[in-house]
Each structure stands twice: as C-alpha cells, then as structure tokens.
Amino acid sequence: MSYGDDTTVIARTVARITLPLVLVVAIALLFQGHNLPGGGFIAGVLTTAAFALVYIVFGMEYVQETIFGDEYEPAGSVAGPLVVDRYRTLFGVGLAIAAGTGLGAMAFGKPFLTHTDEVVKPSTEYVAWIPGADFIFGTLFEFHWATAFVFDIGVYFVVVGGLLAILAVVGGE
Amino acid sequence: MATEQVVVAPLLVALVTAILTLVVHRYVRVQKVVSALGGLAYVGAVAMLIQRVRSGAGSHGVEGVLTYQLSEWGAPFGITLVADDLSAFMLGLTAVVSLLALAFSIQYVDEAGQRVSYHPLYHFMLVGVTGSFLTADIFNLFVWFEVMLMSSYVLVVFYSGPQHTKAALQYVVLNLVGSAFMLLAIGGLYSTTGTLNMADLARRLADPASFGISLVPVLGLSAVLFVVFALKAGIVPFQWWVPAAYRAAPAPVSAMLAGVVKKVGIYAIIRLYFTVFANAAPMDLSLPGVVGESTLAFFGPVLFIMGAASIILGGVAAVNRDNVDDLLAYSSIGQVGFIVIALAFAAGGVVAGWEAPDPYGSVAVLGLAAALVYSLNHALAKAALFLASGAVYESVGSIEFDDLGGIAGRMPLLSTGFFVAALSLVGIPPLLGFFGKFLVFDAAVNAGSNLGIGLALLGAILTIAYVTRAWNRGFWGERSEAVEQATPQYGLFATVLVLAVVALGVGVAFDPVVDAAIDAANAALGTGDYIEAVGLEESLTSGGGGH
C-alpha cells in the first residue's frame, strides 16, 4: 500500500519540497535563539508544523509505520495511539535537559538557572600562512557558545513532544 | 556570601520528581517508586529549609529571612525567592499533607490512572504550590499559580466521566477568568509602581511621593488581585466551584486541593496584603464603612464580610448533604471562613504608619497566628477526612449516606481516623483544632468584635452539627448491606490514621507549633526585615550576591 493516496499530487510534491525548508529554518531559529530572535519554543512549533504537514498529506499511518516502524493502531488506549508514548518520552527528556541546565549551575555553587556564555574562535596559529586565515577561521568559524542554548534544546524537545502528542491524540480520534 | 541552595531545594526536588516520573512513565512500578522517593525527598528538603530558617540563618544580615536570586540576577530585576517563617510554616503544612496524600495515591491510582500521568501531574501541582510559597515576585507568583492550576485542571477531570468533565469545565473557565484578572492586576501594578518585586513594591508604596506613585489606583488594583486570591481560597461569593470540583477529583487530589491549594490563596492574601500593601503610606479613604487610612483598613471589613458569609453558607449547606464529599466540600468553605475572619481581626489591628508590634501582644499578630494555626488544622483534618472518604469509596463502593451505616463496627481503624480528624475539625482538646478555634476566639475577643465572637460560635455549632450527622449516618447505626460486603483497604486506612495522629500529636505538643505560627505572623508583618533581606539594588550594574 502507498501512503497519501487520498491527497493530490500537488499537495504531496509541495510537502516534499517545503518539508526540508521548514526543518532547516526551525534548526536555524533554534541555534540563534539564545541571543537573537528565535529560540526553542518557536523552533519547536515550526518543527511540529512540518510534522503536521506530513500528517495531513501522508496520513497518520505513514508517520507511525515509516518513521517509527510501529504498528498503527488508531485508538491504542486512554492515552492515545502508541506513538504518543514516544512523544511523551521526548517531552520528559526535554524537560529533564532544561531543568538539568539549571541544576548544572548549582554544581558550580551558582544559583539555579544561572547561565554563562563564551565566544570561541579557532586558533589561527598553524594556518596563518593561508591568505585570509583570520577572516575564515577567526570570523566565519567563530561560535558563540552559551549554556542557554542547551536550555533551548530542552524547550525545543518539550514543545515538539507536547504538540505532537496533542496532534496524535486529537488526530487519532 | 554563599548561596543558600536550601531555599530552592523543595522546589527543585518536586520539579525533578515530576520530570523523572514523566521520563519513566512506561514502567508503572518504577514510576510509583520514583514518586514515593520524591515525596519523601520533598519532606526532607522542606525539613532542612525549616531547620535553617528556624535556626536564624538569614540573608543581608537579617535573621530568619533567607533570600535566593534565581539566575544570579540581583533584586529587584531578577526573580527573588524568600524563605522566612511564614513560608516555612506553609511549606511544613504542605509537606505533611502531600506525603500522606501521595502514599494514598500510590495505592489508589491504578495502571490506567498512571497512564494518564497522575504522578507527574501530582508533583507538578506540588511544584506550583512550593513556588507560590517561596516567590517574592508577583509576576512569578502568577506563573506558579498557573503551574499549580494547569496540573489541577487535569487532576479534577481525572475520571473523565460526564459529571467530572462538567465540574472540570466550570473549574477551568472560572480559573482562566481569574488568571486573566490576576494578570491584568499585576500588569496594572507594574505600570503604576514600576516594579514586580514584592520587597521593592513595599518599599515604593511606603514612600509614594519620591517614586511618583499614586496610591489610589494601587488600592483598586490590589482589590482586583484580592478577588483572584479569594477565588482560589474558595471564599463566598467565589465559593461555588468548590463542591463540584472536590467531588469530581480523586480523593487524594481533593485532600490536596482542600488542604494545601486553598491555603495558597490564604498565603497570598497574608503575604501581599499584610507584608506588602500594608506598608503603603496613609491615604485618604473616604469610603463607607472604612475607618482608618491604611490599605488593610479597607480590606479588613471586606475580609470580615466574606469570612462571615463563608462560615454561614458553608456550615448551613454542609448540614444536609447527601454524600460525604459534598459535606466535606461545603465544610471547607465554612472552615476557610474561620481563617478569613481571623485575618479580618488581624487587619483591624494594623493601622497606617504603624510600628512593628510587641511579639505576643498585638491583635494583628494574634489574628494572623490564629489564621495560620487554623490553616494547619484544616489542612490536616480536612485532608484526613477526604482521604477517609476515598477509603470508604474504595472499600464500600459508595459515599452516599443512604448506602452507608455502621462502618464503625466493620472498619474500626478507618473509623478511628475519621473520628479523630472530625473531632479536630470541631475543636475538641487536646487536638490541634481546639487551639485553632481558641486562637480565633481569642483574636475576636482582643479585637473587641462581639459580632465576630457570635459568628465564630455559630460556625462552631454548625461544625458540630454536620460532623455529628456524618458520623451518625455513616459510621454508627444499622450496618448497611454495602458496608457488610465491603473489602477493607487497610493500606488506605493507615494514611488516614497517620494524618489524624499528626493532628493529635501537634495538638498535644502545641508549643513549638504556636511559636512557629507567631514567628510566621511576625514575619508576615515584618516588612522592614523582608525588604532588607531581599537587598534591593539600585541598578543592574552595581552587582550583588556572588558577582
């Protein structure tokens, strides 16, 4: 059996093209979220939107059987289809990551949720002979590391897990 | 100064437990174990915090008031947590009730219940309660209220039958409206006073001219906020959600809602109106029935009327209920009325521009201490009674008085627990309830309020009436068929008995409790210490704490 028989070719094609774009934008928003517009929440919502597109165009079965390799069962139990269990685990792991970054600060004797950040530039000592090394390695590869980013990843998982669980349960009915 | 991690410990223990129970949700037994260990760890964390506060540790040179700046942002810009005697008292009450309700839940909630996240929700509710007791930031208070409410919404609709859904819908809509008002009031306070930190708010209100604050809008906004707290506490005229919600929720959740979540509303009233708004400079109040110039002169009569109405309505309505949960729900409206009129006496004792009173003498301290002791008694006794109701339901299969009768002979352990808790609610010495009632009467006498004494008497008589009726219909008399065929759940009975024994033990060894309550009352009125302990910074760059 093939998936998405009841949707048009246009819908399926558009979904195939937009899906990677949406996910890339989501990841970009996630990565810049700790000091620019974006962040774990909005990235999570976008990712969920991408999944919603797959749900609508290819159907619930597609996500469950192809992506997760589970048997599809529309009304698994009180708590919804089986796939919801996976989403709930994601939700829990996300919360654990977010809370974990807060607790991590306490290991250094700082108050709960204290964050720190550092701008890391790769050393140009051994590649100084390359023309423009300072620009290439010093500027392009410069990365602003922040522990708040880890927190954002936690938020991202919470939002993705939570919203997908709602989609799966409501969609399953 | 070393960071006092102990302040945030109870909050984090509850949070970590909630998350862990969520992560292990596929393993039913493991989840129970994690949940139970988390409950014990919570009690441990609260005990450590109480010990630390009671031993006089403090921040910024103030004894007994510990502060904690989340994320190391200094006050008033960052979120401050404050643990003083008042917070410690409320947390202690929470720890006892939550542990026993949890012990009850672990036996009571089946696998299907666990599948719909009972344990994570329970611990998230605890997170919300703990955060509300600790925070010194009014917007953060809103956030914790929401955390608490979100979990309680799901717990109320837990059984998902038609009547549960109806009750939960009512509860959700009402609380959403309440939350909207709360946000509105907080936003208004922020735009009027320019701060969200409670200590900063108190400081600014004391000197409105130099901060360019007009006090009258602040009073109005605080009244809006008051409505929200009254709603949470279930005081007349905001009581009507109480019976349906308590009947719909599983027994241990009803125990938590009546015992602890209601007290969050009471705590918020004490903290904001006695610690913060009472510090406002005298203002010209030309309102009917208001004598004096302080914020509390305005709220005193309001508290009195609402408390009086709660006592009468709750008591009268409880007398002719058909089932145990309804009776207990109406009773808790009446009992919270007692707490609120004690607060009204205390409010009458606080006058504008007052000095900190002598610790045992003033009506303000007495009234607050009475409210706190009564809260503790209500938390223990009412939680025990709700758990008893749940145990009856599990054993007999019904809590309708028509199906009950003669439980005392059939299940003596449960009956003993119910009896002791009921006596504590009535106020028989040497149970804690006696001291609670005694202090309320004492406050009424000291406040010179004859009307108050009369009301408290009427309330006490009504309490005796409905408790006697519950006992006669349910526990004495002809043994009903359902009771005869009951399968006693001894594990559940044990939790009821333990709570009843705690109410008895606290009554027998009352000295430390009354000391704690009086210290808590003084902490609530000690705005100066509160402000000093928070250690407000003038600008973000001046650096505080551990920088």
Side-chain angles (χ1 to χ4, degrees), chain A residues 11 22 26 45 47 52 57 59 76 78 85 98 100 103-104 106-107 115 148 151-152 163 172:
Chain A
V22 173
V45 173
T47 308
V57 175
V78 229
D85 246 16
L103 291 171
M106 298 176 78
H115 285 282
F151 182 84
D152 255 354
L163 289 180

Side-chain angles (χ1 to χ4, degrees), chain A residues 4-144:
Chain A
D5 286 341
D6 46 353
T7 46
T8 63
V9 177
I10 299 172
R12 272 175 279 157
T13 314
V14 170
R16 280 206 190 90
I17 296 169
T18 47
L19 202 66
L21 291 177
V22 173
L23 288 177
V24 168
V25 173
I27 300 295
L29 285 174
L30 172 65
F31 271 72
Q32 67 174 25
H34 53 274
N35 62 350
L36 284 170
F41 181 81
I42 193 65
V45 173
L46 257 184
T47 308
T48 314
F51 268 82
L53 197 61
V54 179
Y55 268 149
I56 292 166
V57 175
F58 296 101
M60 305 273 292
E61 299 92 334
Y62 177 77
V63 177
Q64 248 147 296
E65 293 177 2
T66 317
I67 300 183
F68 297 113
D70 289 336
E71 195 77 15
Y72 179 66
E73 34 161 354
S77 68
V78 229
L82 187 70
V83 70
V84 174
D85 246 16
R86 292 177 185 280
Y87 297 148
R88 284 173 63 193
T89 308
L90 186 67
F91 180 85
V93 169
L95 264 181
I97 293 173
T101 58
L103 291 171
M106 298 176 78
F108 294 97
K110 295 286 184 182
F112 181 60
L113 283 178
T114 306
H115 285 282
T116 182
D117 65 308
E118 187 138 15
V119 177
V120 179
K121 289 184 184 185
S123 164
T124 51
E125 197 183 332
Y126 302 107
V127 287
W129 50 272
I130 300 174
D134 264 355
F135 174 73
I136 296 169
F137 292 98
T139 309
L140 289 185
F141 282 79
E142 172 191 301
F143 196 78
H144 186 181

